[in-house]
Amino acid sequence: MLTTISPTRPVVLPHFVAITNCTVIVPTYNEAENIGQLIPRILEHDRFRVLVVDDGSPDGTGDLVAEMARDQPRLGLLRRPGKLGLGSAYIAGFQRALAEGAEFIFEMDADFSHDPGYLPALLAAAEAGADLVLGSRYVAGGGTTDWGPGRQLISRGGNLYAGFILGLPVADATGGFRCYRRHVLERLELSRIRSNGYGFQVEMVYRVLQAGFTIREVPIIFPDRRVGRSKMSRRIVLEALINVWKLRFGRI
């Protein structure tokens, strides 16, 4: 059948709209100097949303993000009353992202040690079938810059320590630049996650492997943070060292 279009009625072509099914969770505490520059870099990628989880930053990080969100529908803010810990911030972010329908959920630091330019590579690996994709400093092509010997020792030693005790077949279990597919977080019992510092990343890798999911590592270059102070402390390191053994013997 031949369809005739009247010349008096203009043909309106459909407007392409990107599917925003990727949510990047960025936990913050006193990151006002970084977050305003980081968010636009992430949102350059049309499929991505940003969810900032702010722990009551005294420097006004949350207020800055709230102001930006007024004009940016792909930016969300989850405010928390105080500094409640990295692990609980990510759990809260996961729950919000799942409720909003995200299919790919990313973790990312606010201090530019994680380059937003790697987000498409992490997404591509997940879309190719990996259940969890790790941005890895310790596979071929990855690395760190601007790190002193002490930090190198702590990072590499921590990965060797956790990998040996828990039998983890990955090179970088402690990194916080990663992508989860939706069904992974839906399957895991997030309420069971007990680590709340940087040991959270190790515990999540362990839980993902226990559940039978696949992990792939994508090389990244990891520089030192641009401005501000690291949130690492002796208490956080000690928690990670202890929790590895608790995981090994099923105590958490």
Side-chain angles (χ1 to χ4, degrees):
M1 176 183 294
L2 177 66
T3 301
T4 303
I5 300 176
S6 170
T8 61
R9 299 180 62 185
V11 178
V12 179
L13 297 176
H15 176 66
F16 173 77
V17 178
I19 300 173
T20 53
N21 61 353
C22 304
T23 295
V24 181
I25 301 169
V26 184
T28 57
Y29 184 78
N30 287 346
E31 294 288 356
E33 295 179 277
N34 291 310
I35 198 68
Q37 300 175 59
L38 178 68
I39 288 170
R41 287 283 312 280
I42 299 172
L43 294 179
E44 289 175 0
H45 307 286
D46 290 341
R47 289 180 58 183
F48 288 80
R49 291 174 49 84
V50 179
L51 174 60
V52 174
V53 182
D54 185 65
D55 274 8
S57 297
D59 73 346
T61 299
D63 293 335
L64 174 60
V65 174
E67 181 66 26
M68 295 177 70
R70 291 179 184 176
D71 301 316
Q72 177 49 261
R74 290 191 287 134
L75 173 59
L77 172 63
L78 177 58
R79 290 184 185 263
R80 305 203 306 167
K83 196 172 182 181
L84 304 177
L86 181 70
S88 67
Y90 274 126
I91 295 297
F94 291 160
Q95 292 168 338
R96 171 71 70 86
L98 290 171
E100 293 177 345
E103 293 294 333
F104 302 93
I105 301 170
F106 297 73
E107 295 180 12
M108 187 175 185
D109 289 348
D111 60 10
F112 279 97
S113 55
H114 297 153
D115 186 342
Y118 288 116
L119 287 168
L122 298 181
L123 176 59
E127 290 187 313
D131 296 307
L132 168 59
V133 182
L134 306 177
S136 180
R137 298 161 289 185
Y138 304 128
V139 295
T144 60
T145 61
D146 311 315
W147 280 24
R151 189 173 181 188
Q152 289 276 7
L153 179 62
I154 290 172
S155 178
R156 289 184 178 274
N159 273 292
L160 291 171
Y161 174 84
F164 177 73
I165 294 170
L166 297 175
L168 304 178
V170 299
D172 195 352
T174 64
F177 196 14
R178 51 182 64 181
C179 172
Y180 296 88
R181 296 182 70 179
R182 178 185 183 88
H183 64 262
V184 175
L185 297 178
E186 288 179 326
R187 176 84 65 84
L188 297 181
E189 295 181 54
L190 296 178
S191 61
R192 290 184 58 200
I193 306 300
R194 290 291 176 262
S195 302
N196 202 27
Y198 285 88
F200 171 81
Q201 309 295 6
V202 175
E203 182 171 353
M204 287 297 291
V205 167
Y206 184 68
R207 300 293 187 198
V208 167
L209 290 169
Q210 276 190 318
F213 292 116
T214 60
I215 298 178
R216 179 179 169 187
E217 298 188 82
V218 170
I220 63 167
I221 301 298
F222 187 107
D224 200 1
R225 62 182 298 130
R226 288 187 178 180
V227 296
R229 298 178 60 186
S230 171
K231 309 301 190 298
M232 183 70 73
S233 68
R234 291 182 181 179
R235 181 186 60 80
I236 289 173
V237 172
L238 182 61
E239 180 207 53
L241 293 174
I242 293 173
N243 280 3
V244 166
W245 287 103
K246 288 182 176 180
L247 284 168
R248 175 66 178 81
F249 292 107
R251 301 294 296 274
I252 59 174

